Amino acid sequence: MSTPFLSVKKLNKTFPNGVQALRDVSFDVQKGEFLVVIGLSGSGKSTLMRCLNRLQTPTSGEIIFEGSDIGKFQRPEQVRSLRRKMGMIFQHFNLIPRQSVMKNVLMGTLGIKKTWPSLFGMFSPQDKAEALKNLKLVGISEKAHLRADQLSGGQKQRVAIARALMQNPTLLLADEPVASLDPATCHVVMDYLKKINQELGITVVANLHFLSLVRKYATRVVALKEGQIVFTGKPEEITQEWFQKIYGEGTQDVAPDIF
Ligand code: ADP
Ligand code: MG
């Protein structure tokens, strides 16, 4: 078998307050996968994602990416160059509300630029063309000159996707990308993530809450419970029994929509 795109081995993260957020987490991600991480709130999904892009430092274990153990990266320039390869999308979009959509997307180049002009909002024509191309890709180029705070939630998340694409990532990490959106809008945003995965060949790792979305979009699933992996497999393999193991007995009665 070929070398995995990303390999997580016996990853542990214990916070200074003693919380063990991740315990011996091991899994591989193959290039081109759309891997979805599921689990109850507090199960460690965000911590895992933050270890992958090194917003957090793992306590022990390995994260092998492009031949290096990136979990051990310490020098700021190593971590910066790593983050350039990983686009991030967040639940609350993290746009700058009073700036234009275009400016928000152009901000995505800041991580890959060393030039001062870009810091003062002087972006090159090539950057602007690239931003417009990415806005077109998520079907929202006609909003380029609106202020970000004039958009709906779904539109904001599409802008955030366009921004993430500005750094030409090989991996897109999405932490609950649709958790703030209504069900219909969820599908629109997820469809764009799928398009990016399939058409641009960008590997996606996303945390998702609803199993219906997992079934529709994930090529493979990892389930966390109290910081440990309790399931790895294809979405269609998550039976009622597995669901109860992952989410706990009786969960379906209180949250039938997750299933
Ligand atoms: P999820 O994203 O699945 O809801 P998190 O990764 O956010 O889970 O949290 C996992 C556990 O780690 C929780 O118990 C949470 O309270 C704890 N935790 C997360 N971040 C920190 C932190 N910075 N300091 C201490 N504990 C944390
Ligand atoms: Mg979380």
Side-chain angles (χ1 to χ4, degrees), residues 210-218 235-236 238-239 258-259:
F210 291 107
L211 227 50
S212 55
L213 291 177
V214 175
R215 291 213 174 88
K216 184 159 176 213
Y217 297 100
E236 61 270 23
I238 306 175
T239 57
I258 295 181
F259 199 62

Side-chain angles (χ1 to χ4, degrees), residues 15 17 19 21 40-47 56:
F15 287 107
N17 64 358
V19 172
L40 285 175
S41 176
S43 59
K45 305 182 296 298
S46 294
T47 304
Q56 295 281 1

Side-chain angles (χ1 to χ4, degrees), residues 97-171:
R98 299 168 69 87
Q99 292 281 6
S100 72
V101 164
M102 187 69 176
K103 195 71 171 283
N104 269 281
V105 175
L106 285 165
M107 293 290 179
T109 63
L110 292 187
I112 56 174
K113 284 266 164 67
K114 295 180 194 81
T115 55
W116 282 102
S118 59
L119 296 179
F120 294 104
M122 291 180 272
F123 295 96
S124 70
Q126 291 94 314
D127 285 338
K128 289 179 187 165
E130 185 73 9
L132 208 56
K133 188 189 89 186
N134 287 329
L135 281 168
K136 277 202 181 105
L137 197 75
V138 291
I140 203 167
S141 53
E142 77 285 358
K143 308 278 186 204
H145 298 293
L146 287 184
R147 260 172 44 171
D149 56 10
Q150 292 174 300
L151 303 184
S152 70
Q155 292 169 339
K156 283 179 186 157
Q157 197 58 302
R158 284 149 69 187
V159 173
I161 295 171
R163 179 182 57 188
L165 291 178
M166 289 303 284
Q167 55 189 82
N168 283 318
T170 56
L171 175 64

Side-chain angles (χ1 to χ4, degrees), residues 30-241:
Q30 303 299 331
K31 185 152 182 48
E33 277 196 295
F34 196 126
L35 181 85
V36 172
V37 181
I38 58 171
L40 285 175
S41 176
S43 59
K45 305 182 296 298
S46 294
T47 304
L48 174 60
M49 206 145 271
R50 293 165 72 85
C51 285
L52 296 182
N53 73 358
R54 288 304 313 280
L55 286 170
Q56 295 281 1
T57 302
T59 308
S60 65
E62 296 178 0
I63 305 170
I64 309 295
F65 179 67
E66 295 184 343
S68 304
D69 181 1
I70 61 169
K72 309 262 190 324
F73 279 7
Q74 284 187 342
R75 295 204 317 272
E77 62 271 26
Q78 272 184 315
V79 175
R80 261 202 307 275
S81 99
L82 176 72
R83 290 213 195 111
R84 268 178 231 144
K85 297 172 186 167
M86 300 184 175
M88 271 299 282
I89 295 170
F90 307 90
Q91 175 177 351
H92 298 293
F93 326 124
N94 295 11
L95 300 182
I96 305 171
R98 299 168 69 87
Q99 292 281 6
S100 72
V101 164
M102 187 69 176
K103 195 71 171 283
N104 269 281
V105 175
L106 285 165
M107 293 290 179
T109 63
L110 292 187
I112 56 174
K113 284 266 164 67
K114 295 180 194 81
T115 55
W116 282 102
S118 59
L119 296 179
F120 294 104
M122 291 180 272
F123 295 96
S124 70
Q126 291 94 314
D127 285 338
K128 289 179 187 165
E130 185 73 9
L132 208 56
K133 188 189 89 186
N134 287 329
L135 281 168
K136 277 202 181 105
L137 197 75
V138 291
I140 203 167
S141 53
E142 77 285 358
K143 308 278 186 204
H145 298 293
L146 287 184
R147 260 172 44 171
D149 56 10
Q150 292 174 300
L151 303 184
S152 70
Q155 292 169 339
K156 283 179 186 157
Q157 197 58 302
R158 284 149 69 187
V159 173
I161 295 171
R163 179 182 57 188
L165 291 178
M166 289 303 284
Q167 55 189 82
N168 283 318
T170 56
L171 175 64
L172 194 63
L173 299 172
D175 194 358
E176 309 258 11
V178 295
S180 304
L181 306 176
D182 61 71
T185 311
C186 279
H187 283 281
V188 174
V189 169
M190 289 303 299
D191 282 337
Y192 280 114
L193 287 179
K194 184 177 174 180
K195 179 175 166 183
I196 282 156
N197 172 244
Q198 295 190 336
E199 289 179 17
L200 304 184
I202 297 174
T203 306
V204 177
V205 177
N207 296 340
L208 283 184
H209 198 67
F210 291 107
L211 227 50
S212 55
L213 291 177
V214 175
R215 291 213 174 88
K216 184 159 176 213
Y217 297 100
T219 57
R220 215 155 51 85
V221 180
V222 164
L224 286 176
K225 188 177 186 181
E226 294 168 6
Q228 284 181 304
I229 291 193
V230 289
F231 173 88
T232 322
K234 295 200 178 305
E236 61 270 23
E237 289 165 358
I238 306 175
T239 57
Q240 181 100 13
E241 237 168 279

